[in-house]
Amino acid sequence: MNRISIDSRTVAGKLKDYLPLEIIIVNKTELEPLWDYMVRNYHYLSYEKMIGPRIKYLVRYKGTPIAALSYNRASFKVAVRDAYIGWNPQQKKFCLKHVVNNNRFLILPWVKVKNLASYLLSRTLKMLQSDWLKHFGVEPHLVETFVDAGKYRGTCYRAANWLYLGETSGFSKVGDTFVYHGQRKDVYIYALDQKKLSRLIKSAPCHRTLNLKRERVLNMMLHTPDWSPQILEQAGITADEVLKLGDLLDEYLAIYQDCYYRSDQRKHGETFVKGLLSDVERKSIEPIALEYDGPKGVRTLQIFFKDSPIDDELMLKIYQQRLASAIAHPQGMINTDASDFVKKGKYSVGVYRQYCGALGKVENCQSGVFVGYSSERGYGLINRILYMPEAWFDDDHADLRDDCKVPAKLQFKTKVELALEMITQAAASGLFPARWIGCDSFFGRNKDFLATLPEEYYYFADIPENYWYGLRCQLFPCLSTVVAAASRKTQKRRANRSRYLKLLRIKVFPGEK
């Protein structure tokens, strides 16, 4: 890592002498290590990696850093704040995502500019309203912060019109319990839009309270420290941060509560998710049920997946909206691929002897088609669907279709048709703006697939050489006359040729300009 140095010459005077100041978001930029270094070395709380939604602001004067602020997810339990807002537990669970916490505020010690602190609070709060919505898809209505009264008097927050509510109780969350540390802090809030928050709280759905004993067991299960080491390593999560994962998982899964019709359904669904994130070797129903519910839970979890009605369409919609708010970008790329899963038996839905990409040969397996999305902000899965082999629709499979509860109206579709259907849905949703569509050779060698893709996208396809030669000859009999040839074809063919030409010039003929 390059050594970070900061200009520590004194900055003093009146605020007007240093305006305008540059305030920028540094998340996932080359300036983020500078922000981390400043807060870690000069803030009294230091800095560890933040988990969950957060925005880091760096303040510079003529290119020189002078201050750093960050906003993070709100604390789950703050007695004076909850009393001030007046929400019940169900309303808080529904509306807490609209509350943001100002968890770090640093002005470098050699910066002595009067009124700078309150000015930066006001400026960043105005920016936060649009920035938080843009990055996380949630409109913030209230901001909170905690001030150590033994070190600071909260003068800048009062000057910026924050409201003092009282003190914290001196407890902090460690794992699934609250531990008393005795360091009470002053609580301040700033209402970005009090009316919207009030309306939101009143409109929050009040669900039937879940059975207390069952809910308590569920929360304990989510905090079980049996996380997969591979997942923790891939995500870069430290040992100290592991203690927060149970709360974060509980908070995340709560947004899907409206997708379940009964509390036991929610328990089974969350148990399975926890199992997927755990160190259980086989990520399937039986070993996960045995791990968390014992032998009696196996059949129950199987029935849940087979017979329990849940609103999976709403679940997918909520997931896609949250994913889009985190990674959507105009220069994004939609990707599609098929994936196969070896199966030993013959009674699982869609299982059949077919080509299995995981093994590179024909084998008894299930196959699915998947559509993902990637951009400079991140990547994630958009949609998925199980491929049903054509043989499953013949009379010999009628009883098996009934046993597996295959919808009677379901008709056979090829993997190409399934991929096109999901890509079209993703494009029509408006959630995932993109310029490119990517695919492997299975889809890339299918001319009908390439020709049927939405017109507004370029595609980046893996095309086998023998297919590519024929495709190029078909579309470009002579590259020097391609423009003239295009004028003699339909509008759709012109658009297709233009897309091929651009791809050719970028990848096949890099010398051309």
Side-chain angles (χ1 to χ4, degrees), residues 86-228:
W87 50 20
N88 61 39
Q90 287 78 27
Q91 290 170 330
K92 182 169 75 169
K93 183 167 287 190
F94 182 78
C95 301
L96 187 62
K97 61 186 177 182
H98 296 277
V99 180
V100 180
N101 185 287
N102 172 217
N103 65 325
R104 290 294 187 272
F105 185 11
L106 167 71
I107 295 178
L108 291 172
W110 51 84
V111 178
K112 310 291 183 182
V113 178
K114 187 177 181 180
N115 300 324
L116 175 62
S118 57
Y119 171 79
L120 293 179
L121 283 172
S122 298
R123 278 283 307 276
T124 55
L125 285 175
K126 290 180 181 179
M127 297 172 62
L128 182 70
Q129 289 182 277
S130 58
D131 291 341
W132 198 267
L133 178 62
K134 176 182 177 181
H135 284 79
F136 308 114
V138 176
E139 190 175 6
H141 299 319
L142 190 76
V143 184
E144 66 184 16
T145 195
F146 309 121
V147 176
D148 189 335
K151 298 180 180 292
Y152 305 100
R153 293 184 294 176
T155 304
C156 63
Y157 288 98
R158 297 177 189 270
N161 296 317
W162 288 58
L163 178 64
Y164 171 74
L165 294 184
E167 293 182 334
T168 63
S169 56
F171 286 81
S172 64
K173 192 78 175 289
V174 178
D176 58 350
T177 61
F178 286 91
V179 177
Y180 181 73
H181 54 68
Q183 298 175 355
R184 295 174 178 266
K185 294 185 178 182
D186 291 339
V187 180
Y188 291 84
I189 64 166
Y190 186 92
L192 297 172
D193 197 323
Q194 184 70 49
K195 291 183 179 179
K196 279 189 177 180
L197 181 62
S198 298
R199 289 197 298 268
L200 189 67
I201 293 172
K202 292 179 180 178
S203 65
C206 292
H207 303 284
R208 176 175 60 86
T209 302
L210 299 178
N211 178 276
L212 184 58
K213 183 177 180 181
R214 185 185 300 273
E215 186 71 4
R216 181 165 172 249
V217 171
L218 173 59
N219 287 337
M220 290 174 61
M221 180 272 296
L222 293 179
H223 287 82
T224 303
D226 59 352
W227 310 97
S228 167

Side-chain angles (χ1 to χ4, degrees), residues 8 11 18 49 59 76 79 84 100 102 110 135 159 179 200 202 205 227 262-263 278 316 366 388 415 445 501 509:
S8 58
V11 178
Y18 293 93
K49 184 184 297 183
V59 184
F76 181 74
Y84 173 82
V100 180
N102 172 217
W110 51 84
H135 284 79
V179 177
L200 189 67
K202 292 179 180 178
W227 310 97
R262 301 191 311 272
S263 61
S278 74
L316 179 63
Q366 290 174 307
M388 296 289 289
K415 293 181 181 180
R445 63 174 175 250
L501 181 59
F509 303 111

